[in-house]
Amino acid sequence: MSAFPAGRSVLIVGDYYLDLVFAGLPRWPQPGTEVFGTGTASLPGGAFTPQRALHRLGVPAVWAARLGDDPHSRLVLDEAHAEGIDTSAYLLHPGPVRNISVAMSYGGERGFVSFKEPLPPLDVIGVILDRRPACVLLTELTVGPRLVALVEAAHRVGAVVFMDCQHTDATLDDPAITAALKAVDIFAPNAGEARVLTGHGELNDALDRLRELTPTVVIKNGAHGALAATSTERVSTAAEAVTVIDTIGAGDCFDAGFVAGHVFGLGLAGSTALGTLCGTFSVTGHGGAAAPSLAQIAERAPELVPWAA
C-alpha cells in the first residue's frame, strides 16, 4: 500500500473522555427506575476516537491531548500505545484529568451523563505552528477569541479548519455562534444539532441556512447518511443497512473519514461518502472502536481510498 501524501497530516483539538457505554437499552432511564442494557464497554472516547479512526485509515494524525496522572488518563495512553497511535503531541498534566461519560444508546440515538475536569482550555497555537497540518479538526463547537486565534494560526500554515458541533442548545440568534461558523472552513453538525442551531425542521433548509455562514457544511444524519453543500455543489449519501450495536462515536468516525477524503482531495462527494462508510462501520461495535481499517475500506470501496492502491 502506498503512503498517504507527505505533508497531509491532521491535527485534532479536543478533550478525551473515558466512555462507560451501555447499549441495547429497552427504553431511556426514567427517574426512580432502573434499566438494563444488553451490552457494555469501557473505552477511550472523545477526541481519541477520530485520532484512532484516522490512524486506521493510514492518515498521519496528531492529537493535542491533555492527560493526567489518574487511572482514566493512563487507560487512554495505554490504548494509544496499543494502537500504535502518534502520542508526540500529548501533554501530561501534573494532576488528574478526569473526563468521564456514561454513554447510553437507544433507538438510534445516544445520551450522555458526563464530568469534565475544570481546567483552562489547552493552548494549541504553538502546536499548529510547529506541526503545520493540512487540517485542524475541532471536535466541538468553539467560539470567541480562542477560536479566532486558532483559525488565524491554521490559515497561516495553509490548513483548513473543520469543526464538529457536539451537543448544544445554542442557536444562530447568538452572534458568537454565527461568528464562529463564519470563521471556520467546514462545519459538521449532526441532524439534531443542525435543527437546533437553525430552527429549521427540514434538513435541506437547515443546510441552506448554515451554508450562508460556512463555506462547506456537512450534516450527519445517522442511518439516513449525510447531506453536504458548498457554494457550487450539493450532495447526499445513503448509509448501508447494518446491525447497529452502538451509535456512540459514529459521528467522530464520520469526521475522520470526511477529513481524510478532503485532505487527499476526493472532493465533496467522495469525502462525504467516505465519512458515511466510516460511520457505518463504527455502529457495528461499541464507542467507535469498530472504526474501519484502510484495508477494510479498500475492499469495500477502493475508489474512496486511492492512497491504499
Side-chain angles (χ1 to χ4, degrees), residues 61-72:
V62 294
W63 172 26
R66 176 163 48 193
L67 304 175
D69 60 6
D70 55 282
H72 307 312

Side-chain angles (χ1 to χ4, degrees), residues 134-269:
C135 177
V136 177
L137 192 166
L138 305 180
T139 61
E140 62 184 5
L141 185 64
T142 306
V143 301
R146 175 172 173 254
L147 176 67
V148 171
L150 186 152
V151 171
E152 287 179 350
H155 288 172
R156 196 182 315 162
V157 300
V160 297
V161 179
F162 174 106
M163 186 165 70
D164 199 325
C165 185
Q166 300 298 332
H167 174 74
T168 181
D169 294 322
T171 73
L172 298 182
D173 291 334
D174 183 345
I177 299 297
T178 57
L181 299 192
K182 289 178 180 179
V184 301
D185 303 291
I186 306 168
F187 182 52
N190 66 29
E193 292 157 354
R195 290 184 174 108
V196 169
L197 282 165
T198 64
H200 292 303
E202 170 55 51
L203 284 186
N204 280 300
D205 294 338
L207 182 64
D208 288 339
R209 179 68 184 97
L210 293 171
R211 244 298 302 141
E212 294 172 2
L213 302 170
T214 308
T216 300
V217 176
V218 188
I219 298 180
K220 296 167 280 190
N221 196 21
H224 301 291
L227 306 172
T230 66
S231 61
T232 59
E233 189 177 4
R234 192 182 195 92
V235 302
S236 64
T237 59
E240 179 183 341
V242 295
T243 299
V244 177
I245 302 298
D246 179 13
T247 60
I248 294 160
D252 293 315
C253 291
F254 178 102
D255 292 349
F258 184 93
V259 165
H262 181 82
V263 167
F264 190 84
L266 292 185
L268 187 67

Side-chain angles (χ1 to χ4, degrees), residues 18-32:
L18 178 66
D19 288 341
L20 307 177
V21 179
F22 293 87
L25 300 180
R27 62 184 184 277
W28 289 115
Q30 301 296 319

